Amino acid sequence: MPRKTSHSPLSVLFITPEIHPLIKTGGLGDVSSSLPSALRQLGVDVRVLIPGYPQVMSGLKNKRRLVDLGPLAHFPPAALLSARLQVGDSGEIPVIILDCPGLYQREGGPYMDPSGHEWPDNALRFGLLSRVGAILSSDASPLKWRPQVVHCNDWQSGLTPAYLNTHRGKRSATLMEIHNLAFQGVFPPGSVAQLGLPADSFNINGLEYYGQMSFLKAGLYYSDHIVSVSPTYAREIQTSELGFGLQGLLSGRRNQISGIVNGIDTLEWDPSSDPHLNRHYSLSKINNKSANKRSLQQSLGLTVDPDILLFGMVSRIAHQKGSDLLLQVAPHLTRIPAQLVILGSGEPALESQLMQLAKNYPGKISVSIGFDESLSHLIEAGSDCFLMPSRFEPCGLNQLYSQRYGTPPLVHATGGLIDTVVDCIPSTLSDGTASGFLFQSMNPNNFLAGIRRVSTLYRDKPAWRRLQKNCMSKDLSWRVSAESYLEIYRSLASGLPVSQTVA
Ligand code: ADP
Ligand code: GLC
């Protein structure tokens, strides 16, 4: 139950296309359970709206039918169910399931079929999610519960503010959160009518985007406030380099954009109790970390050597994540000498180049293609250093997990990586703030120079220990960031301007 506060409890509808541990393709899945959970601990009455994919229907027990939704023009029949999701030890989140078998009951992922092709009816799938989010956030809702604020996440709920804009009665305040501006939900112009949106919204001042319609642009245009997942990324998206064509709209709304870094679920990501590890460790028992390195080397067929520097990486295999840069640098890395473990899935061409790389360096480089929650935890724990050469990174969670696991990250200086990793130089190491390594521009030489810096410090055992301890002592929880969301919700709910939070 939400904690009682002196303020009346705020009600928030949090709309998401994925939620850990039921269905997850990336960090949004993690944030969609850990942030609502942290908000509930602050007394916010937050409920999560999610499509009824098979993983959601079978993963949630005790479902209760709330209401059949009357015929919603253009969409197949749907109903709302309620359930509760247990999040680690930290409590339960109330979930509203949008049950629409015609759109969601099928094998595959949330966005793609099992062979990796986008679902052809994604506009309808997420159009319905957005539409129902809007209904629940207005006086047309069939439920008694009414949110004061509707919190939309990424393009999949980007149309909610556009639908609410057409509503004549009472409606909730809208917050549009950008987790990644690269994914925009762009569909042909005919989708506007198909989704029941007014023809005049297909406008540069509306949801038109270079002749197509964009779900995300709709959300950014019509929402009352915008949040992105780090202060640096919130600035970067206002530039032509990282604005994906939306920089004009975003810089025009700069006074209504906040940047708030993600926190992590510190119970789920805790090396002293992580069920995916055979050997637990903590700040005071950090020597036990090396048993995880041995398990990792053994299980992946790398030469078992406690002293060799072991780099780890877990990510979508994509241009964004710098997988191409890694391919160029990896052969040089082995000569440091060092080992490399990669877990990921994504672009087929990059996947096969990475698999070839592993074949070329047996015992030194391991590549696992696929999505493996358990192995991802072991890589965080068993590696010495975690790699994130992301071309851009809105926030990033893996560099946070790795710090918590005493595995300092080496990251490209961009977006949320700048805001969450403090470069290790003599002054930051001695004042206790250093928590990893940054390299400045996205080229192989700089990345390799970063790898050499890591190697040099790794050989200085006392200095390396100090760095690990700094990492493990950091507060990476939602404590501060959840308060920032609360502050924004309060302003939105009372119709006041939002002070520009950066946390
Ligand atoms: P993004 O959301 O851009 O992919 P983040 O760093 O925010 O990047 O979050 C990625 C999340 O997905 C992390 O929890 C990470 O561990 C997880 N992840 C990514 N790829 C895999 C994989 N192949 N197997 C297991 N977990 C993965
Ligand atoms: C996105 C971003 C990532 C961020 C995550 C959760 O997928 O690429 O940087 O951490 O969303 O906000």
PDB file of all heavy atoms in Angstrom, residues 296-314:
ATOM      1  N   LEU A 296      32.231 -17.349 -15.139  1.00  0.00           N
ATOM      2  CA  LEU A 296      31.965 -16.774 -16.462  1.00  0.00           C
ATOM      3  C   LEU A 296      32.952 -17.343 -17.486  1.00  0.00           C
ATOM      4  O   LEU A 296      32.562 -17.785 -18.573  1.00  0.00           O
ATOM      5  CB  LEU A 296      32.110 -15.246 -16.354  1.00  0.00           C
ATOM      6  CG  LEU A 296      31.590 -14.396 -17.502  1.00  0.00           C
ATOM      7  CD1 LEU A 296      30.099 -14.609 -17.724  1.00  0.00           C
ATOM      8  CD2 LEU A 296      31.836 -12.901 -17.205  1.00  0.00           C
ATOM      9  N   GLN A 297      34.237 -17.338 -17.120  1.00  0.00           N
ATOM     10  CA  GLN A 297      35.255 -17.865 -18.050  1.00  0.00           C
ATOM     11  C   GLN A 297      34.983 -19.341 -18.356  1.00  0.00           C
ATOM     12  O   GLN A 297      35.000 -19.757 -19.514  1.00  0.00           O
ATOM     13  CB  GLN A 297      36.662 -17.693 -17.455  1.00  0.00           C
ATOM     14  CG  GLN A 297      37.117 -16.242 -17.434  1.00  0.00           C
ATOM     15  CD  GLN A 297      38.415 -16.040 -16.643  1.00  0.00           C
ATOM     16  OE1 GLN A 297      38.661 -16.705 -15.628  1.00  0.00           O
ATOM     17  NE2 GLN A 297      39.242 -15.097 -17.098  1.00  0.00           N
ATOM     18  N   GLN A 298      34.695 -20.085 -17.292  1.00  0.00           N
ATOM     19  CA  GLN A 298      34.463 -21.529 -17.483  1.00  0.00           C
ATOM     20  C   GLN A 298      33.230 -21.771 -18.352  1.00  0.00           C
ATOM     21  O   GLN A 298      33.288 -22.502 -19.336  1.00  0.00           O
ATOM     22  CB  GLN A 298      34.217 -22.201 -16.128  1.00  0.00           C
ATOM     23  CG  GLN A 298      35.432 -22.907 -15.601  1.00  0.00           C
ATOM     24  CD  GLN A 298      35.293 -23.198 -14.099  1.00  0.00           C
ATOM     25  OE1 GLN A 298      34.295 -22.836 -13.461  1.00  0.00           O
ATOM     26  NE2 GLN A 298      36.304 -23.837 -13.535  1.00  0.00           N
ATOM     27  N   SER A 299      32.131 -21.118 -18.005  1.00  0.00           N
ATOM     28  CA  SER A 299      30.884 -21.457 -18.703  1.00  0.00           C
ATOM     29  C   SER A 299      30.900 -20.992 -20.155  1.00  0.00           C
ATOM     30  O   SER A 299      30.193 -21.552 -20.984  1.00  0.00           O
ATOM     31  CB  SER A 299      29.674 -20.897 -17.960  1.00  0.00           C
ATOM     32  OG  SER A 299      29.791 -19.504 -17.895  1.00  0.00           O
ATOM     33  N   LEU A 300      31.724 -19.998 -20.474  1.00  0.00           N
ATOM     34  CA  LEU A 300      31.720 -19.509 -21.863  1.00  0.00           C
ATOM     35  C   LEU A 300      32.926 -20.000 -22.667  1.00  0.00           C
ATOM     36  O   LEU A 300      33.145 -19.570 -23.800  1.00  0.00           O
ATOM     37  CB  LEU A 300      31.658 -17.979 -21.881  1.00  0.00           C
ATOM     38  CG  LEU A 300      30.374 -17.393 -21.281  1.00  0.00           C
ATOM     39  CD1 LEU A 300      30.436 -15.876 -21.230  1.00  0.00           C
ATOM     40  CD2 LEU A 300      29.141 -17.835 -22.063  1.00  0.00           C
ATOM     41  N   GLY A 301      33.726 -20.871 -22.069  1.00  0.00           N
ATOM     42  CA  GLY A 301      34.845 -21.445 -22.817  1.00  0.00           C
ATOM     43  C   GLY A 301      36.032 -20.506 -22.983  1.00  0.00           C
ATOM     44  O   GLY A 301      36.839 -20.671 -23.914  1.00  0.00           O
ATOM     45  N   LEU A 302      36.162 -19.538 -22.102  1.00  0.00           N
ATOM     46  CA  LEU A 302      37.353 -18.678 -22.143  1.00  0.00           C
ATOM     47  C   LEU A 302      38.448 -19.316 -21.303  1.00  0.00           C
ATOM     48  O   LEU A 302      38.171 -20.114 -20.398  1.00  0.00           O
ATOM     49  CB  LEU A 302      37.035 -17.291 -21.571  1.00  0.00           C
ATOM     50  CG  LEU A 302      35.995 -16.465 -22.330  1.00  0.00           C
ATOM     51  CD1 LEU A 302      35.766 -15.141 -21.628  1.00  0.00           C
ATOM     52  CD2 LEU A 302      36.442 -16.222 -23.770  1.00  0.00           C
ATOM     53  N   THR A 303      39.704 -18.979 -21.600  1.00  0.00           N
ATOM     54  CA  THR A 303      40.800 -19.471 -20.783  1.00  0.00           C
ATOM     55  C   THR A 303      40.594 -18.993 -19.346  1.00  0.00           C
ATOM     56  O   THR A 303      40.361 -17.798 -19.113  1.00  0.00           O
ATOM     57  CB  THR A 303      42.145 -18.900 -21.300  1.00  0.00           C
ATOM     58  OG1 THR A 303      42.213 -19.200 -22.686  1.00  0.00           O
ATOM     59  CG2 THR A 303      43.325 -19.464 -20.560  1.00  0.00           C
ATOM     60  N   VAL A 304      40.632 -19.929 -18.406  1.00  0.00           N
ATOM     61  CA  VAL A 304      40.406 -19.523 -17.008  1.00  0.00           C
ATOM     62  C   VAL A 304      41.703 -18.911 -16.472  1.00  0.00           C
ATOM     63  O   VAL A 304      42.731 -19.576 -16.411  1.00  0.00           O
ATOM     64  CB  VAL A 304      39.956 -20.720 -16.154  1.00  0.00           C
ATOM     65  CG1 VAL A 304      39.815 -20.313 -14.685  1.00  0.00           C
ATOM     66  CG2 VAL A 304      38.624 -21.248 -16.680  1.00  0.00           C
ATOM     67  N   ASP A 305      41.623 -17.635 -16.166  1.00  0.00           N
ATOM     68  CA  ASP A 305      42.806 -16.897 -15.715  1.00  0.00           C
ATOM     69  C   ASP A 305      42.317 -15.763 -14.816  1.00  0.00           C
ATOM     70  O   ASP A 305      41.634 -14.838 -15.281  1.00  0.00           O
ATOM     71  CB  ASP A 305      43.545 -16.343 -16.953  1.00  0.00           C
ATOM     72  CG  ASP A 305      44.750 -15.503 -16.573  1.00  0.00           C
ATOM     73  OD1 ASP A 305      44.898 -15.171 -15.378  1.00  0.00           O
ATOM     74  OD2 ASP A 305      45.533 -15.169 -17.486  1.00  0.00           O
ATOM     75  N   PRO A 306      42.624 -15.833 -13.518  1.00  0.00           N
ATOM     76  CA  PRO A 306      42.096 -14.799 -12.617  1.00  0.00           C
ATOM     77  C   PRO A 306      42.719 -13.423 -12.875  1.00  0.00           C
ATOM     78  O   PRO A 306      42.138 -12.399 -12.500  1.00  0.00           O
ATOM     79  CB  PRO A 306      42.484 -15.304 -11.222  1.00  0.00           C
ATOM     80  CG  PRO A 306      43.570 -16.298 -11.443  1.00  0.00           C
ATOM     81  CD  PRO A 306      43.407 -16.855 -12.826  1.00  0.00           C
ATOM     82  N   ASP A 307      43.886 -13.394 -13.512  1.00  0.00           N
ATOM     83  CA  ASP A 307      44.604 -12.118 -13.623  1.00  0.00           C
ATOM     84  C   ASP A 307      44.335 -11.350 -14.907  1.00  0.00           C
ATOM     85  O   ASP A 307      44.554 -10.142 -14.965  1.00  0.00           O
ATOM     86  CB  ASP A 307      46.119 -12.356 -13.495  1.00  0.00           C
ATOM     87  CG  ASP A 307      46.446 -12.922 -12.129  1.00  0.00           C
ATOM     88  OD1 ASP A 307      45.805 -12.452 -11.154  1.00  0.00           O
ATOM     89  OD2 ASP A 307      47.281 -13.842 -12.037  1.00  0.00           O
ATOM     90  N   ILE A 308      43.887 -12.063 -15.949  1.00  0.00           N
ATOM     91  CA  ILE A 308      43.690 -11.343 -17.218  1.00  0.00           C
ATOM     92  C   ILE A 308      42.487 -10.408 -17.099  1.00  0.00           C
ATOM     93  O   ILE A 308      41.494 -10.735 -16.437  1.00  0.00           O
ATOM     94  CB  ILE A 308      43.528 -12.343 -18.397  1.00  0.00           C
ATOM     95  CG1 ILE A 308      43.706 -11.607 -19.722  1.00  0.00           C
ATOM     96  CG2 ILE A 308      42.190 -13.072 -18.345  1.00  0.00           C
ATOM     97  CD1 ILE A 308      43.929 -12.525 -20.905  1.00  0.00           C
ATOM     98  N   LEU A 309      42.606  -9.231 -17.700  1.00  0.00           N
ATOM     99  CA  LEU A 309      41.533  -8.238 -17.655  1.00  0.00           C
ATOM    100  C   LEU A 309      40.362  -8.737 -18.511  1.00  0.00           C
ATOM    101  O   LEU A 309      40.541  -9.063 -19.687  1.00  0.00           O
ATOM    102  CB  LEU A 309      42.092  -6.917 -18.197  1.00  0.00           C
ATOM    103  CG  LEU A 309      41.168  -5.735 -18.392  1.00  0.00           C
ATOM    104  CD1 LEU A 309      40.465  -5.357 -17.095  1.00  0.00           C
ATOM    105  CD2 LEU A 309      41.985  -4.516 -18.886  1.00  0.00           C
ATOM    106  N   LEU A 310      39.165  -8.783 -17.915  1.00  0.00           N
ATOM    107  CA  LEU A 310      37.990  -9.318 -18.636  1.00  0.00           C
ATOM    108  C   LEU A 310      36.956  -8.209 -18.833  1.00  0.00           C
ATOM    109  O   LEU A 310      36.439  -7.651 -17.865  1.00  0.00           O
ATOM    110  CB  LEU A 310      37.401 -10.481 -17.832  1.00  0.00           C
ATOM    111  CG  LEU A 310      36.074 -11.083 -18.309  1.00  0.00           C
ATOM    112  CD1 LEU A 310      36.124 -11.508 -19.769  1.00  0.00           C
ATOM    113  CD2 LEU A 310      35.687 -12.285 -17.455  1.00  0.00           C
ATOM    114  N   PHE A 311      36.691  -7.886 -20.104  1.00  0.00           N
ATOM    115  CA  PHE A 311      35.676  -6.876 -20.433  1.00  0.00           C
ATOM    116  C   PHE A 311      34.348  -7.562 -20.722  1.00  0.00           C
ATOM    117  O   PHE A 311      34.319  -8.620 -21.361  1.00  0.00           O
ATOM    118  CB  PHE A 311      36.087  -6.086 -21.684  1.00  0.00           C
ATOM    119  CG  PHE A 311      37.233  -5.144 -21.462  1.00  0.00           C
ATOM    120  CD1 PHE A 311      38.537  -5.518 -21.791  1.00  0.00           C
ATOM    121  CD2 PHE A 311      37.017  -3.878 -20.937  1.00  0.00           C
ATOM    122  CE1 PHE A 311      39.595  -4.646 -21.597  1.00  0.00           C
ATOM    123  CE2 PHE A 311      38.077  -3.001 -20.737  1.00  0.00           C
ATOM    124  CZ  PHE A 311      39.370  -3.387 -21.068  1.00  0.00           C
ATOM    125  N   GLY A 312      33.249  -6.947 -20.299  1.00  0.00           N
ATOM    126  CA  GLY A 312      31.919  -7.501 -20.564  1.00  0.00           C
ATOM    127  C   GLY A 312      31.037  -6.475 -21.256  1.00  0.00           C
ATOM    128  O   GLY A 312      31.238  -5.261 -21.109  1.00  0.00           O
ATOM    129  N   MET A 313      30.084  -6.981 -22.010  1.00  0.00           N
ATOM    130  CA  MET A 313      29.120  -6.075 -22.654  1.00  0.00           C
ATOM    131  C   MET A 313      27.793  -6.815 -22.815  1.00  0.00           C
ATOM    132  O   MET A 313      27.778  -7.966 -23.251  1.00  0.00           O
ATOM    133  CB  MET A 313      29.665  -5.654 -24.016  1.00  0.00           C
ATOM    134  CG  MET A 313      28.784  -4.676 -24.742  1.00  0.00           C
ATOM    135  SD  MET A 313      29.728  -3.882 -26.081  1.00  0.00           S
ATOM    136  CE  MET A 313      28.437  -2.945 -26.869  1.00  0.00           C
ATOM    137  N   VAL A 314      26.700  -6.149 -22.442  1.00  0.00           N
ATOM    138  CA  VAL A 314      25.355  -6.703 -22.625  1.00  0.00           C
ATOM    139  C   VAL A 314      24.548  -5.604 -23.293  1.00  0.00           C
ATOM    140  O   VAL A 314      24.401  -4.523 -22.717  1.00  0.00           O
ATOM    141  CB  VAL A 314      24.693  -7.022 -21.263  1.00  0.00           C
ATOM    142  CG1 VAL A 314      23.284  -7.570 -21.470  1.00  0.00           C
ATOM    143  CG2 VAL A 314      25.534  -7.979 -20.448  1.00  0.00           C
TER     144      VAL A 314
END
